[in-house]
């Protein structure tokens, strides 16, 4: 999670919402990919940290199926990212802060609990949640000050 937090800070430094993600092979502890939010800079609404990390991992491994890997992300995934996680067959998702407004794992549609979801990873939430949430709060507080 510390590496994901560093990626989130990198996103914030570029004016992107501070969310970071890491794909890890739990058998070897190898970091397969690191992603940071980048929709603004990439001009790509799908460039969420999770999607960026999943794309990098799939390219590196030469397979779109990332079965048995772990995705660590600083914020509860949204519906789009939850769908991508399911399609990638990620084995486990670990997230930091919950997202009552946009999250889709423990909030909103609870994507992995839906009967139409074909792959359900193990989910662990709340890992370094306060640090993840504080990074987001600080980012948006600073943006409001600039606009105010």
């Amino acid at each position: 999670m510390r590496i994901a937090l560093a990626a989130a800070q990198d996103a914030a430094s570029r004016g992107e919402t501070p969310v970071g993600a890491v794909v890890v092979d739990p058998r070897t502890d190898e970091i397969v990919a690191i992603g940071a939010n980048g929709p603004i800079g990439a001009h790509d609404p799908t460039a969420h940290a999770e999607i960026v990390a999943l794309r990098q991992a799939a390219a590196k491994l030469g397979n779109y199926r990332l079965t048995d890997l772990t995705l660590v992300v600083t914020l509860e995934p949204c519906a789009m990212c939850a769908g991508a996680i399911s399609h990638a067959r990620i084995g486990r998702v670990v997230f930091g802060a919950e997202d009552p407004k946009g999250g889709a794992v423990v909030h909103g549609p609870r994507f992995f609990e839906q009967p139409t979801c074909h792959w359900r990873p193990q989910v662990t939430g709340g890992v370094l949640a306060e640090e993840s949430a504080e990074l987001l709060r600080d980012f948006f507080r600073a943006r409001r000050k600039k606009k105010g």
Side-chain angles (χ1 to χ4, degrees):
M1 185 61 78
R2 294 261 178 234
I3 295 167
L5 281 165
Q9 289 171 332
D10 177 58
S13 73
R14 293 180 283 107
E16 303 277 1
T17 300
V19 179
V22 179
V23 176
V24 179
D25 184 336
R27 295 166 294 194
T28 63
D29 287 333
E30 176 193 1
I31 295 171
V32 179
I34 300 172
N37 248 17
I40 298 167
H43 309 290
D44 179 357
T46 69
H48 289 195
E50 299 95 312
I51 303 287
V52 171
L54 292 174
R55 285 177 179 158
Q56 286 178 11
K60 180 176 181 177
L61 299 175
N63 193 339
Y64 74 102
R65 294 277 169 91
L66 304 175
T67 310
D68 299 327
L69 299 182
T70 297
L71 176 71
V72 179
V73 60
T74 58
L75 184 65
E76 176 185 351
C78 69
M80 175 183 69
C81 292
I85 290 164
S86 179
H87 283 282
R89 306 294 197 260
I90 286 287
R92 183 173 180 221
V93 174
V94 177
F95 70 87
E98 290 187 8
D99 185 358
K101 291 181 181 177
V105 176
V106 297
H107 294 93
R110 297 180 182 191
F111 187 90
F112 301 128
E113 295 175 21
Q114 299 307 312
T116 54
C117 179
H118 300 296
W119 181 267
R120 294 168 180 84
Q122 294 177 346
V123 175
T124 303
V127 176
L128 296 179
E130 187 52 39
E131 286 184 51
S132 298
E134 189 62 29
L135 186 57
L136 286 156
R137 282 191 296 268
D138 289 350
F139 176 80
F140 287 111
R141 188 178 302 121
R143 286 186 59 147
R144 283 190 298 274
K145 277 186 179 179
K146 284 181 182 178
K147 288 182 181 180

